């Protein structure tokens, strides 16, 4: 942004110091005049014939007062500039850190020493902003690298299949078409998941009244065949949980949670419980499932895009693209809610979503 050149903050502070100092000196001289010289007789004999008169006092006092005022101005300029420099030194460090951040160096921190004051508060807030920004940029870079890798994989498989078909014209075309269809479907699912994730992060969607209990029932009805095929009991309990948001995104959030609970479950005889309730001004959705035990250090990483732990990788048709819980977190964040994942002691996962409720 182009601006016209102006006075620096240091010069403004210096001039303000000089101005206040000169004003104080002028007031002091005025007090001397009002309360001392005005009571001195203005005659040739002076007071009692021995004291100097007002004329002599004024002509003696005026040059000394002028010298004192000049000294105050010079002292104010020098001292004011020094004090202004000391006061603005923290701003100089913050400015240098901002320039480094603008050049792409987000790892630099100010770490202002000294006791707590306004400048230290500003530097601490700036350091916190840099830390969050560095974490966000690193996350975006990992996401871009992982997305590129995930998108390249199905394309590379498709190219390999086509090369094989071109080199061996006698190969079964039906099998080739079926494998290409599976690979292409996975690429489409990944692309749609990336678009949905970006839409949730932007938060640009229409909001309307939504009941999480109805979305839970719809998601359970959609995924009931999958639960029956795996021998898993799927229950929906609780009551109404009204909130405001995008019905489409919230339905995808609930569906992802239920599908994740079904896929990462016991081989047979597992359970998935979906519970909704309104608690004060908060609407709560809980999805709890049985399954293998999860290491505590693994749980916080499950919402990262393309994060697949070794014991959670699936090789069947419901393997997913590694964005299920990442999309859930994005949708929850876009709706000003919170997402909590807790590993159950007996195995499995308990996921709790809290969204702002409606009266």
């Amino acid at each position: 942004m182009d601006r016209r050149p102006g006075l620096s903050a240091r010069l403004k502070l210096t001039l303000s110091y000089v101005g206040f100092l000169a004003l104080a000196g002028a007031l002091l001289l005025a007090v001397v005049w009002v309360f001392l010289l005005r009571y001195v007789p203005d005659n040739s004999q002076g007071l009692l014939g021995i004291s100097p008169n007002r004329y002599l006092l004024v002509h003696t006092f005026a040059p000394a007062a002028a010298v004192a005022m000049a000294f105050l101005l010079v002292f104010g300029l020098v001292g004011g500039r020094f004090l202004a420099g000391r006061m603005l030194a923290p701003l100089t460090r913050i400015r240098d850190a901002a320039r480094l951040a603008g050049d792409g160096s987000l790892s630099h921190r100010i770490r202002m020493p000294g006791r707590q004051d306004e400048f230290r508060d500003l530097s601490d807030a700036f350091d916190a902003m840099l830390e969050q920004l560095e974490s966000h940029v690193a996350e975006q870079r990992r996401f871009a690298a992982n997305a590129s890798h995930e998108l390249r994989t199905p394309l590379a498989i498709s190219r390999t299949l086509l090369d094989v078909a071109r080199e061996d014209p006698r190969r079964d075309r039906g099998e080739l078409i079926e494998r290409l269809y599976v690979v292409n479907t996975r690429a489409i699912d990944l692309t749609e998941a990336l678009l949905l994730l970006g839409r949730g992060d932007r938060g640009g969607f229409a909001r309307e009244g939504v009941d999480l209990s109805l979305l839970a029932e719809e998601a359970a009805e959609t995924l009931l065949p999958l639960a029956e095929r795996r021998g898993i009991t799927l229950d929906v309990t609780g009551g109404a949980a009204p909130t405001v948001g995008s019905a489409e995104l919230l339905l995808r959030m609930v569906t992802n949670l239920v599908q994740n609970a079904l896929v990462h479950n016991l081989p047979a005889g597992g359970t998935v419980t979906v519970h909704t309730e309104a608690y004060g001004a908060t609407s709560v959705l809980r999805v709890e499932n049985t399954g293998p035990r999860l290491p505590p250090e693994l749980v916080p990483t499950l919402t990262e895009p393309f994060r697949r732990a070794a014991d959670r990788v699936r090789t069947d048709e419901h393997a997913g693209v590694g964005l299920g819980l990442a999309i859930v977190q994005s949708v929850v964040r876009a709706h000003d809610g919170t997402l909590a994942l807790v590993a159950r002691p007996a195995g499995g996962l308990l996921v709790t979503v809290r969204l702002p409720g409606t009266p």
Side-chain angles (χ1 to χ4, degrees), residues 156-176:
I157 295 175
S158 298
R159 181 176 179 178
T160 301
L161 292 174
L162 292 174
D163 289 341
V164 171
R166 184 175 58 182
E167 296 174 359
D168 186 6
R170 295 171 297 179
R171 189 178 182 87
D172 186 5
R173 293 185 179 273
E175 179 186 359
L176 174 64

Side-chain angles (χ1 to χ4, degrees), residues 31-265:
V31 169
V32 172
W33 171 261
V34 171
F35 292 98
L36 178 61
L37 295 181
R38 63 180 298 185
Y39 296 108
V40 176
D42 191 10
N43 54 56
S44 58
Q45 296 299 323
L47 184 63
L48 301 178
I50 58 175
S51 298
N53 58 28
R54 186 186 305 175
Y55 176 82
L56 293 177
L57 287 176
V58 168
H59 284 72
T60 303
F61 178 71
V67 172
M69 286 297 298
F71 173 77
L72 286 177
L73 291 176
V74 174
F75 180 78
L77 286 172
V78 177
R81 182 173 177 81
F82 173 76
L83 291 177
R86 291 292 302 272
M87 290 294 296
L88 295 177
L91 287 182
T92 303
R93 297 185 59 174
I94 298 175
R95 178 203 63 193
D96 295 339
R99 287 179 176 175
L100 288 175
D103 294 335
S105 176
L106 300 178
S107 60
H108 177 74
R109 299 292 182 269
I110 301 174
R111 295 187 177 89
M112 190 76 67
R115 297 184 177 181
Q116 197 72 17
D117 58 15
E118 289 81 357
F119 289 122
R120 274 70 182 181
D121 290 339
L122 178 60
S123 66
D124 292 343
F126 192 82
D127 284 343
M129 182 193 68
L130 285 179
E131 185 174 356
Q132 294 180 0
L133 185 60
E134 182 183 19
S135 175
H136 181 70
V137 170
E139 181 181 353
Q140 291 298 318
R141 288 175 178 173
R142 289 195 305 269
F143 177 80
N146 291 330
S148 301
H149 174 74
E150 294 289 337
L151 286 171
R152 182 177 58 185
T153 300
L155 295 177
I157 295 175
S158 298
R159 181 176 179 178
T160 301
L161 292 174
L162 292 174
D163 289 341
V164 171
R166 184 175 58 182
E167 296 174 359
D168 186 6
R170 295 171 297 179
R171 189 178 182 87
D172 186 5
R173 293 185 179 273
E175 179 186 359
L176 174 64
I177 293 175
E178 183 64 26
R179 295 184 64 181
L180 284 175
Y181 177 80
V182 173
V183 174
N184 188 62
T185 300
R186 181 175 178 81
I188 292 175
D189 292 342
L190 175 59
T191 303
E192 291 180 349
L194 290 173
L195 292 175
L196 184 62
L197 185 61
R199 182 183 174 190
D201 288 336
R202 290 192 303 269
F205 49 82
R207 297 177 181 267
E208 58 181 323
V210 181
D211 190 347
L212 294 179
S213 63
L214 299 179
L215 298 183
E217 293 177 359
E218 183 176 352
E221 183 179 354
T222 302
L223 295 171
L224 184 59
L226 174 62
E228 293 177 346
R229 190 161 59 249
R230 292 175 175 268
I232 298 174
T233 303
L234 176 58
D235 293 327
V236 179
T237 64
T243 187
V244 176
S246 169
E248 177 187 359
L249 292 178
L250 291 175
L251 177 59
R252 184 61 181 268
M253 174 196 74
V254 178
T255 303
N256 282 6
L257 287 176
V258 177
Q259 182 176 357
N260 184 78
L262 291 172
V263 171
H264 302 289
N265 211 306

